[in-house]
Amino acid sequence: MLDPYLPLVLMFALAGAFALFSVTAAPYIGPRRYNRAKLDAYECGIEPSPQPVIGGGRMPVAYYLTAMLFILFDIEMVFLYPFAVAADKLGLFGLVEIVLFVATVGFAYIYVWRRGGLDWN
């Protein structure tokens, strides 16, 4: 009864074994040439500061807004791909639904644009 799932279980077991082997073998196989430059934080050639300069040590809200907008429009793409695959089978109903979905996300985009959420001062 569970025979069709055997290849899937074997694939997950093989992936887990490979991940475990890679993590445990890396310290023994990899090079061990440590120096100060490798252990420092990388910030595009600029010396890292202990805290953000803007806002007295707090992160600007623009970073969080940008992250939320990225997630919003990324989720839009996640919903559009299955529609693109099954568009011919869904017919007119699918077309109406996806137009409503894109219009809703479009209104959200226009709202964010008009409120200045996409401006970097």
Side-chain angles (χ1 to χ4, degrees):
M1 183 165 104
L2 297 177
D3 288 339
Y5 296 107
L6 183 63
L8 186 62
V9 171
L10 289 176
M11 183 180 72
F12 277 119
L14 183 64
F18 177 74
L20 185 64
F21 171 74
S22 298
V23 169
T24 56
Y28 302 112
I29 298 173
R32 293 180 188 86
R33 293 181 301 246
Y34 297 106
N35 59 26
R36 181 167 158 56
K38 283 187 178 182
L39 297 176
D40 282 345
Y42 176 72
E43 292 198 13
C44 302
I46 301 171
E47 289 293 325
S49 59
Q51 61 183 356
V53 179
I54 302 171
R58 295 187 296 188
M59 293 293 288
V61 177
Y63 293 118
Y64 300 111
L65 291 176
T66 304
M68 287 189 292
L69 288 174
F70 173 76
I71 291 170
L72 173 75
F73 294 115
D74 195 41
I75 289 173
E76 176 191 8
M77 288 291 108
V78 168
F79 284 121
L80 286 177
Y81 278 124
F83 169 75
V85 171
D88 56 344
K89 295 177 188 167
L90 295 175
L92 183 62
F93 173 76
L95 180 63
V96 170
E97 290 297 320
I98 206 66
V99 166
L100 290 174
F101 176 71
V102 169
T104 304
V105 174
F107 287 135
Y109 175 71
I110 291 170
Y111 174 77
V112 168
W113 186 11
R114 302 278 281 168
R115 297 283 297 199
L118 302 176
D119 294 334
W120 284 94
N121 296 332

